[in-house]
């Protein structure tokens, strides 16, 4: 199954994958050893960044006992941040909001941690030399996490950590300033523009002025990187690039784009999947762009992302994927 997943990644031009697989198994040691074995046997073409997901503070100790720390590398495997859940989803009215849902005024969704709890767990995590990330969609969940980071911002700076927020969709002006205060990274999924545009306005109303505003965040100097949220959305980065450029779903709706002022340039949309993504795992000196001294990770595409009509970016095919200069996928061999 792991080898099949790796093959699907390279087929779509993905050379680095951030995964929370540890959470899905009871025997984490067995999975860790399987990763190391595949890596040693040369059966892991892509790089893996392991997000260490927990649900409760008492689960931290298991990862502390491994004796490693965030951004430590073991061949093609890199130890990522401790990950936890901050809230639910917008579709199920369970994303944690500061104010009630516009279309469900008796609910503010779910918030799994308060500020004091997050501050305490953030301190424990960074004191053990781990970085931290969170699933947070609603503004209350995002802001609570950032408040926790701010409470340990001196340690974050001293240890050169890079806290991040996965999703970060419903926001407010305070959140933008708090992002900057700790230099946090927004790990966004462009395909949620594709999926959510038809429901988000009714869910949060006027709060849409500061939501899904990834173009504005970049302009304000907030760090972003893009992912897929596989298996919820497509793994194909070209689809995500098109959605960020057009602010439309893959069928071309809504006409004119959803909050079109948030459209990204093609260059920024590509960088979110390349150079900006490399920064998240402290790999900006080795991957993310083709430069002398960096690893030769690159793809050959069937057309030019920068010149095809913007609504045809999704039709571009990955013809070849190279990792460390070695050909790992060739579409001609798939026929």
């Amino acid at each position: 199954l792991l080898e099949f997943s790796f093959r699907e990644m390279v087929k779509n031009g993905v050379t680095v994958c951030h995964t929370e697989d540890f959470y899905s198994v009871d025997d984490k040691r067995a999975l860790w050893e399987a990763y190391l074995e595949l890596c040693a046997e040369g059966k892991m073409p892509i790089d893996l960044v392991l997000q260490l997901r927990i649900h409760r503070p008492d689960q931290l100790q298991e990862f502390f006992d491994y004796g490693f720390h965030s951004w430590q590398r073991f061949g093609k495997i890199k130890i990522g941040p401790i990950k936890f859940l901050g809230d639910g989803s917008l579709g199920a009215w369970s994303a944690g909001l500061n104010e009630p849902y516009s279309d469900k005024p008796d609910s503010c969704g779910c918030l799994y941690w308060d500020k004091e709890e997050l501050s305490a767990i953030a301190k424990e995590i960074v004191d053990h030399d781990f970085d931290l990330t969170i699933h947070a969609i609603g503004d209350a969940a995002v802001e609570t996490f950032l408040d926790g980071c701010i409470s340990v911002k001196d340690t974050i700076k001293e240890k050169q950590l890079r806290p991040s927020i996965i999703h970060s969709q419903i926001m407010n002006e305070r959140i933008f300033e708090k992002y900057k205060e700790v230099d946090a990274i927004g790990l966004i999924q462009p395909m949620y523009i594709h999926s959510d545009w038809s429901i988000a306005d009714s869910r949060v109303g006027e709060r849409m002025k500061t939501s899904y505003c990834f173009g504005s965040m970049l302009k304000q100097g907030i760090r972003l990187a893009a992912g897929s949220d596989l298996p919820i959305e497509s793994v194909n980065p070209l689809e995500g690039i098109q959605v960020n450029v057009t602010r439309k779903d893959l069928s071309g709706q809504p006409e004119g784009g959803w909050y079109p002022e948030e459209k990204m340039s093609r260059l920024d949309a590509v960088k979110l999947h390349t150079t900006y993504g490399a920064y998240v795992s402290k790999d900006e000196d080795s991957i993310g762009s083709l430069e002398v001294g960096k690893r030769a990770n690159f793809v050959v595409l069937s057309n030019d992302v920068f010149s095809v009509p913007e609504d045809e970016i999704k039709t571009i095919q990955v013809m070849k994927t190279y990792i460390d200069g070695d050909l790992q996928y060739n579409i001609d061999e798939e026929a």
Side-chain angles (χ1 to χ4, degrees):
L1 182 59
L2 286 173
E3 291 184 70
F4 171 80
S5 299
F6 298 153
R7 189 64 185 167
E8 286 301 298
M9 294 292 112
V10 297
K11 183 178 179 180
N12 283 278
V14 176
T15 62
V16 180
C17 176
H18 294 236
T19 177
E20 57 172 33
D21 289 351
F22 273 138
Y23 182 76
S24 303
V25 298
D26 292 327
D27 191 342
K28 294 178 174 56
R29 290 278 178 183
L31 179 59
W32 173 242
E33 290 169 5
Y35 283 144
L36 293 177
E37 183 177 329
L38 287 169
C39 190
E41 293 175 353
K43 295 179 179 178
M44 184 183 291
I46 67 172
D47 283 27
L48 288 184
V49 179
L50 303 181
Q51 297 175 349
L52 313 179
R53 180 173 159 186
I54 64 165
H55 266 190
R56 306 183 312 273
D58 62 281
Q59 295 173 319
L60 285 171
Q61 192 60 47
E62 184 170 9
F63 290 121
F64 296 161
D65 289 344
Y66 274 78
F68 49 45
H69 56 79
S70 288
W71 314 127
Q72 190 173 354
R73 181 173 285 283
F74 298 84
K76 284 182 169 289
I77 305 167
K78 202 161 196 179
I79 306 303
I82 301 286
K83 176 184 178 180
F84 38 98
L85 297 182
D87 62 357
S89 68
L90 193 69
W93 293 274
S94 55
L97 303 180
N98 285 319
E99 302 294 336
Y101 280 87
S102 298
D103 58 353
K104 197 173 184 180
D106 60 341
S107 176
C108 290
C110 302
L111 196 62
Y112 297 145
W113 311 81
D114 62 30
K115 182 177 178 179
E116 291 70 28
E117 290 170 329
L118 262 178
S119 295
I121 196 172
K123 185 178 188 308
E124 188 174 5
I125 289 170
V126 300
D127 283 350
H128 282 83
D129 297 324
F130 284 89
D131 226 317
L132 61 167
T133 191
I134 192 170
H135 161 111
I137 290 175
D139 55 356
V142 173
E143 194 163 6
T144 302
F145 175 76
L146 287 171
D147 285 338
C149 291
I150 289 169
S151 72
V152 291
K153 67 178 182 180
D154 291 341
T155 306
I156 287 174
K157 183 176 181 180
E158 175 192 345
K159 296 189 175 185
Q160 299 181 318
L161 300 176
R162 297 179 179 182
S164 57
I165 301 172
I166 301 165
H167 305 310
S168 199
Q169 290 165 197
I170 312 303
M171 290 170 283
N172 58 50
E173 294 292 345
R174 293 190 308 273
I175 285 172
F176 300 147
E177 296 308 311
K178 291 176 180 180
Y179 255 106
K180 298 173 192 175
E181 189 169 351
V182 291
D183 197 19
I185 308 165
L187 304 183
I188 67 166
Q189 294 70 41
M191 290 302 291
Y192 282 124
I193 298 170
H194 161 87
S195 300
D196 291 357
W197 75 265
S198 61
I199 66 166
D201 287 272
S202 61
R203 291 285 189 278
V204 299
E206 288 296 310
R207 285 165 286 191
M208 278 305 305
K209 292 178 181 177
T210 51
S211 299
Y212 297 81
C213 52
F214 308 133
S216 295
M217 291 174 76
L218 275 183
K219 290 173 185 175
Q220 290 194 39
I222 295 171
R223 297 185 190 274
L224 295 181
S228 66
D229 210 28
L230 186 73
I232 309 302
E233 296 290 351
S234 167
V235 68
N236 186 346
L238 291 157
E239 293 181 356
I241 290 168
Q242 175 171 315
V243 169
N244 255 341
V245 168
T246 64
R247 293 288 296 196
K248 300 176 184 178
D249 65 24
L250 295 180
S251 69
Q253 297 298 316
E255 188 175 347
W258 187 50
Y259 296 91
E261 65 274 12
E262 294 296 336
K263 289 181 179 181
M264 282 187 194
S265 70
R266 298 191 197 211
L267 181 58
D268 279 334
V270 169
K271 282 184 175 181
L272 255 66
H273 292 272
T274 53
T275 55
Y276 298 162
Y279 181 87
V280 177
S281 54
K282 291 193 172 185
D283 286 316
E284 66 270 24
D285 292 334
S286 60
I287 59 175
S289 60
L290 286 175
E291 297 179 62
V292 174
K294 289 190 176 183
R295 296 166 58 187
N297 291 3
F298 62 95
V299 295
V300 178
L301 301 178
S302 63
N303 213 326
D304 182 2
V305 175
F306 298 98
S307 63
V308 299
E310 62 180 23
D311 60 354
E312 294 180 15
I313 295 173
K314 67 180 182 182
T315 67
I316 297 174
Q317 291 183 291
V318 175
M319 307 300 290
K320 297 179 181 180
T321 301
Y322 289 83
I323 301 178
D324 292 318
D326 295 328
L327 181 63
Q328 295 290 344
Y329 171 74
N330 185 345
I331 196 171
D332 292 335
E333 297 175 0
E334 296 291 307

